[in-house]
Amino acid sequence: MRVLARSLLVVASVAVLAVSAFAWAQVRILDRSTASASVIGSGAGTAAEQNILLLGVDSRTDPQGNPLPPALLDALHAGGSGDGGDTADSIIVVHVPAGGGRATAISIPRDSFVQLADGYGKHKINSAYSRGVADTTDALTSGSASAGAPTSAYAPQAAPAPSPNDPAVRRAALAAGARTTIDTVQALTGLTITHFASVNLAGFADVSQAIGGVPVCLRAPVDDSYSGLALPAGPQLVSGTQALAFVRQRHGLANGDLDRVVRQQVFLAGATSKLLSAGTLANPFALSRLSGVMARSVTLDSGWDVLSFATQMQGLSAGSVTFRTIPTGTMELSTPEDGQAVQVNPAQVRSFVTDAIDVDSGIAPPPQPVPSDAAVMRAASQSDSSSSSDSSGGSDSSGGSGSSGDSGSSDSSSGSDSSGGSGSSGGSGATAAAPPAPVPAPITAAAPGCVN
C-alpha cells in the first residue's frame, strides 16, 4: 500500500508539473502569437491603475493586415472585403483600480458627436478610427518610395508605391486609427488610456466558440435578416456567427444604438462571467484555444504584459465588473456633415466617469438606488409611447448612477448648449424638442439580465 501511495503521489506530481508547464507555455504562446502595435505613449502602461480601451472594429482584415477569407465574411453576414469602412462600432473603456478590485467598463455609443483628435473637427466618434486609417493609407500609398531622389540615368529605378491592401500598409494604417481613437477617448473621458485592444469582425465569433459559448438572455425572439440573427426568447448560449450577429444587430431595436450598446455589454458580461467563474484563465486547454483566436482577431498595444494582466484578473470575481454607458442627450442631433448623431456633453461625461469609478470601487456610495434593468426598460417604453410630451423625459431620473441622470434632467438648457458646439445644430426645430435618450441601467457580469 505504501508503494502504491508513493507511486500515485509521483504520478500526480508529474501530472501537476506537466499541466503547469503546459499552461505556462500556452500563456507564452498567447503572448507571442497576438499581434501588437505601438499605440500607447511611453510611461502610460506603467500606471498602477489601468484604463483599457477595447474597440470592436468593422475591419475586413486580420491583425497582420491580410484580408479575411470571403467564405468567412459570407458566414458572418458581413458583406464583401470592401465594406465596413474601418469604423469602431464598439468603444468601451475598462478601468481597473490599482491593485485590482472592482472594475468599471464604460461604453461610448459609436455615433456620439464629439471633438476628434488630430485636427479632424467634430464628428461621430466611431469615425476617429476610420479617418486615421484613411489618411495614413493615403500618405503611404501616394507617390513613389524614391520621391525627391536624383533623376540620373544611373540611379536605380523608382520603386512603385505600395498598394493600400499591402499588409504592412494596413498594419500601419490600423495603428494610426487606434492612436487617433485613443487620443479622442482620453479627451472625452478624462482618463489616461494605459492599454489598448481591438477585435475585428471574426473576433466575437471566434472568442465565443473558444470559451464554449456566451450566456445571454432575450426578452423576445429575434429574426433579423440584416445581421442574420435568429434566436428564441429567454436565456441561451450564443457562439460563432450568432454571437457576432447578437452584438451587431441594429435594425428593429426600440432604442437603436443604445440597445446595441446594451447587447454588447451583456455579451461581454456573459463572457467575463464565464472566463472568471469557470477559471478559464487558469485552464491551459482553454488558453490553447484562445491563442489561435487572438492571432486571427486581436491586436494589443506592444507594451501589454498579458501574463501579469491575467494574474491580476484572476483576483476578480464575476460580479466585480460593472458595465455602464455614458450619459447622452438626444439621439437625433442634426450635424453639418454626419447626418443624425448622438448628443454628448463632454463635461457631463467626465463627471459621470469619475463618479462611476468612485462608486464601483467603493470610494463613494451610490448617490441614489440603482433601478433594475426591467424598470429602466419600462420607463423607456413609457417615454416612447408619450414622446409628444417633453415631460416624458423624466424617466431619465431613474437611470443608472446619479450622475448619469444629469444628462436627461435639463436637455434643452444644458444637454445641447454646453455640448461643445453641438448646441447650434441641436437648437433648431425637432432636434431641440426631441427627448433625451433613456439611460441604460448598469449591468454586472454576475447578473446581466435580459435585453431587447
Side-chain angles (χ1 to χ4, degrees):
M1 290 298 295
R2 284 196 300 270
V3 172
L4 177 61
R6 289 174 181 173
S7 299
L8 290 175
L9 181 60
V10 169
V11 171
S13 299
V14 170
V16 168
L17 288 173
V19 170
S20 299
F22 181 62
W24 181 88
Q26 289 303 323
V27 171
R28 289 302 176 192
I29 292 173
L30 181 67
D31 203 0
R32 290 195 300 268
S33 63
T34 304
S36 63
S38 180
V39 296
I40 300 292
S42 60
T46 61
E49 64 179 23
Q50 301 295 318
N51 297 308
I52 305 162
L53 178 60
L54 305 179
L55 295 185
V57 180
D58 199 354
S59 173
R60 268 64 176 170
T61 58
D62 66 18
Q64 289 74 35
N66 304 303
L68 295 176
L72 175 61
L73 295 177
D74 289 343
L76 297 175
H77 289 256
S81 59
D83 296 327
D86 292 318
T87 54
D89 285 343
S90 177
I91 306 171
I92 300 176
V93 181
V94 181
H95 174 84
V96 182
R102 192 174 190 88
T104 303
I106 300 173
S107 292
I108 303 172
R110 66 171 194 164
D111 289 342
S112 299
F113 194 64
V114 302
Q115 184 72 40
L116 304 186
D118 299 336
Y120 286 117
K122 291 200 71 173
H123 295 283
K124 294 179 181 179
I125 194 169
N126 69 338
S127 71
Y129 196 90
S130 58
R131 291 171 191 274
V133 170
D135 281 357
T136 301
T137 300
D138 289 344
L140 293 175
T141 58
S142 60
S144 67
S146 59
T151 57
S152 167
Y154 300 100
Q157 290 294 319
S163 164
N165 297 322
D166 183 282
V169 171
R170 283 292 294 168
R171 289 194 298 271
L174 295 176
R179 286 190 287 269
T180 300
T181 306
I182 288 169
D183 290 344
T184 299
V185 171
Q186 288 184 147
L188 176 65
T189 63
L191 297 175
T192 298
I193 300 301
T194 58
H195 287 302
F196 168 85
S198 67
V199 182
N200 65 13
L201 277 177
F204 286 98
D206 286 347
V207 170
S208 62
Q209 287 182 317
I211 63 176
V214 174
V216 300
C217 180
L218 285 171
R219 291 193 176 92
V222 174
D223 188 1
D224 179 50
S225 60
Y226 294 96
S227 65
L229 183 65
L231 293 174
Q236 57 205 289
L237 291 177
V238 293
S239 64
T241 58
Q242 289 293 281
L244 176 63
F246 178 82
V247 298
R248 290 190 76 212
Q249 183 189 355
R250 59 189 177 93
H251 295 279
L253 298 181
N255 296 308
D257 196 35
L258 283 185
D259 276 348
R260 180 153 77 161
V261 166
V262 173
R263 285 270 191 96
Q264 294 165 356
Q265 292 176 339
V266 165
F267 179 89
L268 290 175
T272 301
S273 178
K274 195 156 189 179
L275 281 168
L276 298 178
S277 299
T280 305
L281 293 176
N283 183 330
F285 302 101
L287 286 175
S288 178
R289 294 192 298 269
L290 285 173
S291 63
V293 168
M294 295 187 72
R296 187 170 79 162
S297 307
V298 178
T299 300
L300 305 178
D301 69 86
S302 56
W304 199 343
D305 185 337
V306 175
L307 180 58
S308 63
F309 182 73
T311 302
Q312 182 182 15
M313 290 297 289
Q314 280 295 96
L316 287 175
S317 65
S320 295
V321 183
T322 302
F323 293 84
R324 299 178 181 272
T325 305
I326 64 168
T328 58
T330 177
M331 298 185 68
E332 300 175 355
L333 178 69
S334 298
T335 67
E337 302 175 14
D338 297 2
Q340 289 188 335
V342 176
Q343 187 181 46
V344 170
N345 181 331
Q348 285 184 347
V349 170
R350 287 189 286 271
S351 176
F352 168 84
V353 168
T354 299
D355 292 346
I357 289 173
D358 287 348
V359 169
D360 293 343
S361 62
I363 296 175
Q368 64 182 35
V370 175
S372 67
D373 180 57
V376 171
M377 297 313 297
R378 282 197 302 271
S381 299
Q382 293 169 1
S383 175
D384 291 340
S385 64
S386 58
S387 58
S388 58
S389 170
D390 207 32
S391 62
S392 64
S395 63
D396 279 2
S397 62
S398 66
S401 67
S403 58
S404 65
D406 292 344
S407 66
S409 60
S410 180
D411 181 58
S412 61
S413 60
S414 63
S416 60
D417 294 344
S418 60
S419 60
S422 62
S424 59
S425 57
S428 62
T431 302
V439 180
I443 292 173
T444 63
C450 295
V451 296
N452 290 335

